[in-house]
Amino acid sequence: MEIKNAVTALAALAQESRLAIFRLLVQNAPEGLTAGLIAEQLALPAPTLSFHLKTLAQAGLVNTVQEGRFVRYRAEIEGINALIGFLTDDCCGGHPELCTPNLKK
Amino acid sequence: MEIKNAVTALAALAQESRLAIFRLLVQNAPEGLTAGLIAEQLALPAPTLSFHLKTLAQAGLVNTVQEGRFVRYRAEIEGINALIGFLTDDCCGGHPELCTPNLKK
DNA sequence: TTAATATTTCCATATTATTAGAAATATGGA
DNA sequence: TCCATATTTCTAATAATATGGAAATATTAA
């Protein structure tokens, strides 16, 4: 992962509504939720939700599939794993056992 | 961790200079680096670096200790671990084995 | 006590993001 | 075909953030 991709992903998550959307989709993995259900759960107006979902999708954190009139969104597990890896890579100059407490990865 | 704390931490990391600072400190854990060494490594003007370090410290992602004229900064491992946990909590409604690929945590 | 070094604060400017109403698009059902 | 429903795009007002020069502060060495 390049630093610019990581910044894009972090910026996508650094907003309260989008973070709530992402966590809702993580908790509802792997089947995901339609846009309408997300809007209902989080009480967001449709245009606002659509804007945030687009931001998350462009950041590689959610994926989307059309289901008739509905659009289903899912958390992109590989995207969040790559981001976490980027944050924790090369911890302690390659000697992660030096970290107290140990870093998650 | 509360969602507002998570947003603060993510916003702190969602900026290219700050993300580079944080990763440099992770790689130089556990001993950390002085502000001057960080400025040198990343070619940042002192006021800009100071602003970013303050943002990271307020987000709980770095800690700081005065060493005479110098100020040493270290990555706050507990802070980043808490953030990663917040992003991955309750994955798949408590059945993380359903995730393919599996979420890091 | 004076000078040199390390870091932070102050500040003005420039840039970028968030919000939601109104309108547009797209799909499926009657 | 025509209508209802789901979602997105357009748009403009509002708000938040990044940048770095100049000055201030703090510590050490001479």
Side-chain angles (χ1 to χ4, degrees):
Chain A
M1 175 172 257
E2 311 264 319
I3 191 166
K4 290 201 190 293
N5 299 326
V7 168
T8 300
L10 290 161
L13 294 171
Q15 203 279 338
E16 191 165 336
S17 295
R18 281 196 299 267
L19 183 53
I21 293 165
F22 179 75
R23 275 170 41 94
L24 187 61
L25 290 175
V26 166
Q27 288 157 17
N28 285 275
E31 67 278 8
L33 294 171
T34 61
L37 286 172
I38 300 169
E40 188 182 333
Q41 291 272 323
L42 301 178
L44 291 172
T48 299
L49 177 63
S50 184
F51 167 80
H52 288 315
L53 285 169
K54 187 177 177 184
T55 302
L56 286 166
Q58 287 173 343
L61 292 168
V62 305
N63 60 57
T64 175
V65 57
Q66 189 88 34
E67 290 184 354
R69 272 190 284 197
F70 301 84
V71 180
R72 178 170 298 270
Y73 285 87
R74 293 188 172 89
E76 185 76 76
I77 304 299
E78 297 200 33
I80 190 69
N81 277 347
L83 179 60
I84 292 171
F86 187 82
L87 292 175
T88 58
D89 265 0
D90 287 319
C91 158
C92 303
H95 297 278
E97 69 279 9
L98 297 180
C99 270
T100 51
N102 279 188
L103 246 182
K104 300 193 180 197
K105 50 173 187 166
Chain B
M1 175 174 257
E2 311 265 316
I3 191 167
K4 290 200 190 296
N5 299 325
V7 168
T8 300
L10 289 161
L13 294 171
Q15 203 280 338
E16 192 165 336
S17 296
R18 281 197 299 265
L19 182 53
I21 294 165
F22 179 76
R23 274 168 41 93
L24 187 61
L25 291 174
V26 167
Q27 287 157 18
N28 285 276
E31 68 278 9
L33 294 172
T34 61
L37 286 172
I38 300 169
E40 187 182 335
Q41 290 272 323
L42 301 179
L44 290 172
T48 300
L49 177 64
S50 184
F51 168 79
H52 288 316
L53 284 169
K54 187 176 176 184
T55 303
L56 286 166
Q58 287 174 343
L61 293 167
V62 307
N63 60 58
T64 176
V65 57
Q66 189 88 33
E67 289 185 353
R69 270 192 285 199
F70 301 84
V71 180
R72 179 169 297 272
Y73 285 88
R74 293 187 171 89
E76 185 76 77
I77 303 300
E78 297 200 32
I80 190 69
N81 277 348
L83 179 60
I84 292 171
F86 187 82
L87 293 174
T88 58
D89 265 359
D90 287 320
C91 158
C92 303
H95 297 279
E97 69 279 8
L98 297 178
C99 270
T100 52
N102 279 187
L103 246 183
K104 300 192 181 197
K105 50 172 186 163

